[in-house]
Amino acid sequence: MLMAFEDALSTGLTRPGKIIAVHLNYPSRAAQRGRTPAAPSYFFKPASSVASSGGGIERPLGTELLAFEGEVALIIGSPARRVAPEQAWAHVAAVTAANDFGLYDLRAADKGSNVRSKGGDGFTPLGPATIAADAIDPAGLRVRTWVDGELVQDDTTADLLFPFGQLVADLSQLMTLEPGDVILTGTPAGSSVVVPGQVVEVEVDAPDAPGAPSTGRLVTTVVEGTEPFADTGTTPAVDDTQRVEAWGSETELAAAVADGRAAPHEASAQPAASAQPAAAFDLTDDLRERVGRVAVATLSVALRKRGYHDVFIEGVAAQRPGTRLVGRAKTLRFVPFRPDLFASHGGGFNAQKRAFDTVEPGEVLVIEARGERGTGTVGDVLALRAKMRGAAGVVTDGGVRDFDAVAEIGLPVFSQGAHPSVLGRRHVPWEVDVTITCGGAAVQPGDVIVGDGDGAIVIPPALFDEVLAEAEAQEAEDAWVAAQVAAGAAVDGLFPMNADWRAAYLAAGTAGTARAEEAAR
């Protein structure tokens, strides 16, 4: 059953007496923050912060870090006091979409309470419609957020750290949850800063429930404030730690500085520390081994949750089945063939030969060939040279010459396939160690390249630790689910896990779960 949020309030769900928000609840967000809580923790938001869809939110004059957080909001329908988790869902009337806006400029002033950083007028938009709780599985919801039409958050409630029933039960141990109270249940990875003029949309739906009910999109436009803060208390202030947390990562902050959405400050003004994070990243043997055990498909999901949708190198496949590839990128760029350019750049110790003759141990040579497979971009001699220098492999969105001979060398190679023609038929070797495009993905020197039977993917170094931690946790969960299926369990409710299966998984205390929690701390 769907109804407008305002209508839901008028039918017995009065203006929220309490708005209670959970700090961390999605594994993707916990991995991003680098910590996984053992129990839920909460903060209050005032009822005066509630707003409806289609309105605006003011970024106060003189501040810079207004961040969105798309969430599922629970609306309490009947009083709940000391309820058990298995009875808790019966006290929820409906769910709706929420945007838990926060102003990082005031986090230090609040000393953890979030009173001002999260409590501003309009900082809790809700709606536009509600979904009746009795029509859905609480573990079957999806929350998505768009900024200016671009999808930036996409996650489900299937694997929450603390299922909805646990939240209601936990809160009810100390206080009575009353009709109309709202519980904000946490945000997935992808939260970031928005600036005046941008439009944020949040939608909650139940895609697998009958009729696939949806709240519709909760729309909020960011506007610039006109009134300065009065000198009556602590005034807004930020540092680079807050900036990185607000934007989501050093990479996102650097990108925002580069395109003018954020001003350069301290670390963000120092290229070695932020705009070029690859230089400081060390892909240790332990990290190589760990990421080498994780499927490219799993890494792809973790990256997509963080807004990285074009990091898969399209169209390339391993020469030999079962090939695994892990290493830092060394880049080589070809430009389209032109006789005068080939005459000046194609002979002698050209860029192609320099790349293969200088690749370092553990590096992956990544070649931009513009997806042109109609000629070879690597052959047996250069592949042998790369192997002798200790290269981890080659990824090219072009063809491979001497295909069988290259396969015999044993160097992991991902390509568009075999072609007998020499380089000069279509390409001019142009430059090395620059940002390139390979298979539609941007690749910078130092990026982490991982390949398996699904293809090859690019991981920005600044995201590597959090992506690996989340992917390991997901692989452990997937392995446990597979074991249940092998033992005869049906996939309905298990894949993805509903609340009961989630509880069983957590109770199992698998080694993978422990390893993932350790990695996320």
Side-chain angles (χ1 to χ4, degrees):
M1 175 183 175
L2 297 175
M3 65 175 70
F5 180 70
E6 292 80 0
D7 293 340
L9 296 182
S10 68
T11 57
L13 300 178
T14 59
R15 184 179 184 183
K18 296 185 288 293
I19 304 172
I20 308 168
V22 181
H23 281 108
L24 279 174
N25 201 11
Y26 285 79
S28 62
R29 181 69 161 175
Q32 188 179 44
R33 290 299 199 205
R35 62 184 187 276
T36 301
S41 60
Y42 312 93
F43 59 92
F44 281 105
K45 299 191 75 171
S48 56
S49 68
V50 171
S52 57
S53 182
I57 182 171
E58 179 182 293
R59 187 185 74 172
L61 187 66
T63 64
E64 62 171 288
L65 300 179
L66 177 66
F68 64 86
E69 295 183 4
E71 305 198 9
V72 178
L74 311 184
I75 303 171
I76 298 298
S78 61
R81 179 73 164 110
R82 295 195 179 97
V83 300
E86 54 270 22
Q87 279 84 49
W89 189 244
H91 294 270
V92 178
V95 302
T96 193
N99 200 331
D100 180 19
F101 279 103
L103 191 64
Y104 281 69
D105 307 65
L106 289 173
R107 286 180 84 189
D110 285 339
K111 294 181 171 55
S113 73
N114 286 337
V115 170
R116 286 178 292 175
S117 63
K118 291 277 194 173
D121 287 352
F123 275 36
T124 315
L126 298 170
T130 62
I131 303 173
D134 60 8
I136 55 172
D137 176 358
L141 294 171
R142 175 175 60 176
V143 57
R144 292 178 292 174
T145 306
W146 295 261
V147 175
D148 293 339
E150 179 184 355
L151 183 65
V152 294
Q153 289 185 296
D154 186 358
D155 213 332
T156 74
T157 58
D159 60 351
L160 295 178
L161 299 175
F162 314 111
F164 294 158
Q166 181 180 350
L167 298 179
V168 173
D170 186 39
L171 289 166
S172 76
Q173 301 312 298
L174 186 63
M175 68 186 78
T176 300
L177 298 175
E178 299 172 318
D181 285 349
V182 170
I183 301 174
L184 305 182
T185 59
T187 195
S191 165
S192 192
V193 173
V194 282
V195 300
Q198 291 193 297
V199 177
V200 187
E201 300 171 276
V202 182
E203 180 181 8
V204 171
D205 65 353
D208 296 327
S214 167
T215 64
R217 292 198 184 186
L218 172 65
V219 181
T220 307
T221 302
V222 183
V223 298
E224 184 70 272
T226 58
E227 296 293 329
F229 273 86
D231 189 17
T232 55
T234 305
T235 53
V238 296
D239 56 26
D240 280 347
T241 298
Q242 299 286 15
R243 291 187 180 97
V244 171
E245 284 210 357
W247 282 99
S249 69
E250 289 187 355
T251 301
E252 293 294 330
L253 174 58
V257 171
D259 65 19
R261 289 176 294 134
H265 295 282
E266 300 174 24
S268 62
Q270 301 171 16
S274 58
Q276 298 176 4
F281 175 74
D282 182 16
L283 184 62
T284 63
D285 290 342
D286 177 64
L287 291 177
R288 284 177 184 271
E289 181 181 352
R290 285 171 57 192
V291 76
R293 293 195 296 264
V294 177
V296 164
T298 308
L299 295 168
S300 176
V301 172
L303 285 161
R304 180 173 54 81
K305 289 180 179 179
R306 290 157 175 81
Y308 288 76
H309 302 283
D310 296 310
V311 288
F312 184 75
I313 300 177
E314 298 286 351
V316 307
Q319 272 189 288
R320 300 190 301 179
T323 296
R324 295 285 306 189
L325 172 69
V326 177
R328 304 292 296 277
K330 180 180 180 65
T331 59
L332 166 63
R333 178 173 173 246
F334 295 141
V335 299
F337 177 80
R338 209 173 82 181
D340 57 334
L341 298 182
F342 196 84
S344 62
H345 288 74
F349 194 50
N350 59 37
Q352 182 194 38
K353 293 176 182 176
R354 289 199 307 273
F356 280 84
D357 217 33
T358 60
V359 64
E360 295 293 331
E363 289 186 327
V364 176
L365 269 167
V366 185
I367 302 173
E368 176 184 337
R370 308 175 314 284
E372 173 54 71
R373 61 180 300 169
T375 190
T377 56
V378 57
D380 56 351
V381 173
L382 292 181
L384 179 61
R385 179 58 175 156
K387 182 180 181 182
M388 297 306 296
R389 287 192 57 83
V394 175
V395 177
T396 173
D397 62 354
V400 173
R401 193 166 180 257
D402 309 313
F403 193 84
D404 292 340
V406 170
E408 287 296 321
I409 290 169
L411 180 73
V413 175
F414 286 67
S415 74
Q416 292 256 25
H419 201 284
S421 294
V422 296
L423 186 71
R425 180 171 184 257
R426 296 286 171 84
H427 301 298
V428 179
W430 196 252
E431 55 189 341
V432 299
D433 298 326
V434 295
T435 300
I436 65 170
T437 302
C438 183
V443 183
Q444 291 192 297
D447 282 346
V448 180
I449 309 297
V450 183
D452 65 11
D454 282 345
I457 202 165
V458 184
I459 307 176
L463 293 178
F464 182 85
D465 288 341
E466 63 188 70
V467 165
L468 175 58
E470 180 179 324
E472 286 180 319
Q474 186 62 55
E475 294 261 300
E477 178 178 313
D478 291 346
W480 187 85
V481 168
Q484 310 316 304
V485 174
V491 296
D492 184 27
L494 173 62
F495 184 67
M497 283 191 270
N498 59 23
D500 291 338
W501 276 113
R502 172 65 50 189
Y505 172 65
L506 295 175
T510 64
T513 302
R515 173 66 179 274
E517 289 178 349
E518 178 184 350
R521 289 190 187 104

